[in-house]
Amino acid sequence: SQQGEEDPQALSIQEGENATMNCSYKTSINNLQWYRQNSGRGLVHLILIRSNEREKHSGRLRVTLDTSKKSSSLLITASRAADTASYFCAIEDSNYQLIWGAGTKLIIKP
Amino acid sequence: DAGVTQSPTHLIKTRGQQVTLRCSPKSGHDTVSWYQQALGQGPQFIFQYYEEEERQRGNFPDRFSGHQFPNYSSELNVNALLLGDSALYLCASSAGQVHTEAFFGQGTRLTVV
């Protein structure tokens, strides 16, 4: 079963707007990672946030983690057409296994 | 650096047949993990190989087996193929067993007819 659940399942916004995706999980975690996947091919690692961290930035990406609510959010600021992709959260559990959600499909309209 | 390479990119097999998928990890990586991704779903962990041994396994039947070679490359074998095995099979490599950042190949698209 998939422990991570992304919300929304799909998101369509105008270029230049900000996009926010959420991930909820059920188990205790070592870390939580966000990945991007273009056209159903390989996944690209975006950012990792450890269980003792609350916020992390990387370029136009901002990730927050609330372990009390077992949730995380990914914010992409000033979106571009090239950001169109599916975004997945992956939870590394206490057994060091990566458990994935079903993803959020993001469409950036020009 | 070639990154993670997988072969073949596409494959069509018939129910009941056997298939072998191959993965070469990123240079410097010694751990290979395999995932199955059905259309519209997130990846499902199949198993992980480190030091030529299967270290962790997800909820997949014994029809799914693998191997890691001394050069860290890996194979995924699936026996007695079912229609439901049709999916994108992804290989990820990392340095050590603990997941810090996994590098993924482009995947093998397997279609079972």
Side-chain angles (χ1 to χ4, degrees):
Chain A
S1 64
Q2 294 186 308
Q3 290 271 7
E5 294 183 10
E6 285 93 341
D7 169 60
Q9 290 185 326
L11 180 61
S12 181
I13 60 173
Q14 291 294 138
E15 193 169 19
E17 293 181 339
N18 295 342
T20 300
M21 289 158 269
N22 303 296
C23 172
S24 60
Y25 57 92
K26 300 174 185 175
T27 188
S28 59
I29 64 172
N30 293 333
N31 61 64
L32 186 147
Q33 304 177 35
W34 285 91
Y35 287 79
R36 184 186 72 226
Q37 185 176 40
N38 292 86
S39 304
R41 300 306 286 182
L43 292 127
V44 175
H45 183 270
L46 296 176
I47 199 164
L48 178 153
I49 186 164
R50 301 191 189 282
S51 59
N52 60 353
E53 296 176 311
R54 293 297 167 259
E55 188 171 313
K56 207 159 183 181
H57 297 253
S58 177
R60 293 184 296 113
L61 306 179
R62 172 177 167 253
V63 169
T64 61
L65 177 65
D66 187 335
T67 52
S68 66
K69 294 181 180 177
K70 289 187 164 51
S71 67
S72 173
S73 67
L74 170 67
L75 168 68
I76 303 175
T77 60
S79 63
R80 305 168 181 169
D83 295 330
T84 294
S86 291
Y87 291 81
F88 294 89
C89 69
I91 298 130
E92 183 183 290
D93 67 11
S94 54
N95 295 318
Y96 303 106
Q97 280 197 24
L98 272 183
I99 305 170
W100 300 72
T104 292
K105 191 168 186 177
L106 175 64
I107 297 172
I108 308 298
K109 295 179 286 186
Chain B
D1 182 4
V4 180
T5 58
Q6 291 186 244
S7 63
T9 54
H10 294 82
L11 202 52
I12 299 174
K13 288 286 191 177
T14 304
R15 268 183 306 177
Q17 284 189 317
Q18 179 264 344
V19 69
T20 297
L21 310 182
R22 295 176 176 83
C23 172
S24 293
K26 181 178 168 64
S27 177
H29 285 182
D30 55 6
T31 301
V32 173
S33 301
W34 286 93
Y35 295 85
Q36 180 195 66
Q37 186 179 22
L39 201 60
Q41 298 296 314
Q44 297 275 350
F45 175 72
I46 303 174
F47 42 53
Q48 181 190 78
Y49 277 85
Y50 173 70
E51 292 185 339
E52 301 180 51
E53 289 190 18
E54 182 183 297
R55 300 291 179 165
Q56 296 184 55
R57 189 179 184 92
N59 189 25
F60 278 80
D62 292 344
R63 297 187 298 109
F64 289 77
S65 64
H67 188 77
Q68 186 178 35
F69 299 94
N71 66 354
Y72 308 122
S73 67
S74 177
E75 289 182 349
L76 164 66
N77 301 293
V78 187
N79 295 323
L81 284 167
L82 304 174
L83 296 179
D85 295 332
S86 295
L88 180 68
Y89 288 84
L90 293 162
C91 167
S93 74
S94 55
Q97 285 186 271
V98 176
H99 292 99
T100 52
E101 179 181 353
F103 288 79
F104 282 80
Q106 290 300 298
T108 294
R109 175 74 64 187
L110 172 66
T111 302
V112 182
V113 297

